[in-house]
Amino acid sequence: MKSILNLSALFMGFLALSQHKTTKETTSIVHKNPTAIFDPTPFAFSHSATPTKANGKYVYISGQSGGEGLNHQLSEDFRTQVQSSLQNLKTVLAEYSLEPKDVLKITILIVGHNQEKLKIWTEEANKIWKNDQLPASTLIPVPKLALDNMLIEVDAVAFIKAK
């Protein structure tokens, strides 16, 4: 009798699963900038970003420097390093079939940070993140990075949707 009950329960479980309809959930990222505090969009970031449905996984991307190519050649020009660090970030994102719009959070480390470097960062970041779909962001001025002549490093957290 016990084995009949177990088989019956097992059959009911399979029946329930076979009748369950799966729906493909799409996930988008919501960027919020409360009106009670300053508008960060002119500075190329949002106060917060979150997936609307957490049906997926996070991708943590190590700091991408402004090094170019396989030899990691570092230009002495800050703007060139910013452009390279953003290109390197896009390259890592592409490995996951992601784009900058999928980035939730970035941290920017800038050696010898000043207003001119902030202006350059903002201009270049606005070329990558368009339509105010800007990631949450923290900029940290630092005296030095891992390598001599390294002027910027950008790490990121992105979200990859479940398929």
Side-chain angles (χ1 to χ4, degrees):
M1 182 72 168
K2 195 174 195 180
S3 63
I4 293 173
L5 287 175
N6 286 342
L7 285 174
S8 176
L10 184 62
F11 176 73
M12 293 301 285
F14 282 126
L15 183 60
L17 284 174
S18 68
Q19 293 179 350
H20 176 73
K21 291 184 180 179
T22 59
T23 57
K24 187 175 181 182
E25 289 186 31
T26 58
T27 304
S28 60
I29 295 174
V30 174
H31 303 85
K32 291 196 176 188
N33 294 308
T35 57
I37 53 180
F38 81 98
D39 178 11
T41 56
F43 304 101
F45 75 96
S46 292
H47 284 298
S48 67
T50 186
T52 55
K53 296 177 182 153
N55 187 11
K57 61 184 174 182
Y58 293 94
V59 178
Y60 298 89
I61 301 170
S62 294
Q64 298 301 304
S65 76
E68 298 177 69
L70 296 176
N71 294 329
H72 198 259
Q73 186 67 37
L74 289 164
S75 169
E76 292 182 18
D77 179 61
F78 181 72
R79 184 178 299 272
T80 300
Q81 284 201 30
V82 170
Q83 292 166 341
S84 295
S85 68
L86 290 169
Q87 182 56 53
N88 292 341
L89 176 61
K90 287 172 61 176
T91 299
V92 175
L93 288 168
E95 286 292 310
Y96 293 90
S97 299
L98 296 174
E99 299 175 28
K101 68 179 180 59
D102 299 306
V103 173
L104 298 172
K105 170 77 168 80
I106 58 174
T107 302
I108 308 111
L109 306 170
I110 296 178
V111 173
H113 173 69
N114 58 34
Q115 293 306 300
E116 179 61 26
K117 288 182 178 179
L118 177 60
K119 180 178 182 268
I120 291 169
W121 164 259
T122 301
E123 290 169 357
E124 297 302 326
N126 277 321
K127 292 175 185 176
I128 302 298
W129 287 283
K130 298 175 172 62
N131 304 321
D132 292 338
Q133 293 182 335
L134 302 162
S137 174
T138 301
L139 189 153
I140 303 171
V142 295
K144 184 172 170 67
L145 288 166
L147 301 173
D148 290 339
N149 301 322
M150 198 167 142
L151 302 175
I152 186 166
E153 187 170 4
V154 182
D155 77 18
V157 177
F159 187 76
I160 188 168
K161 303 171 204 170
K163 295 188 184 202

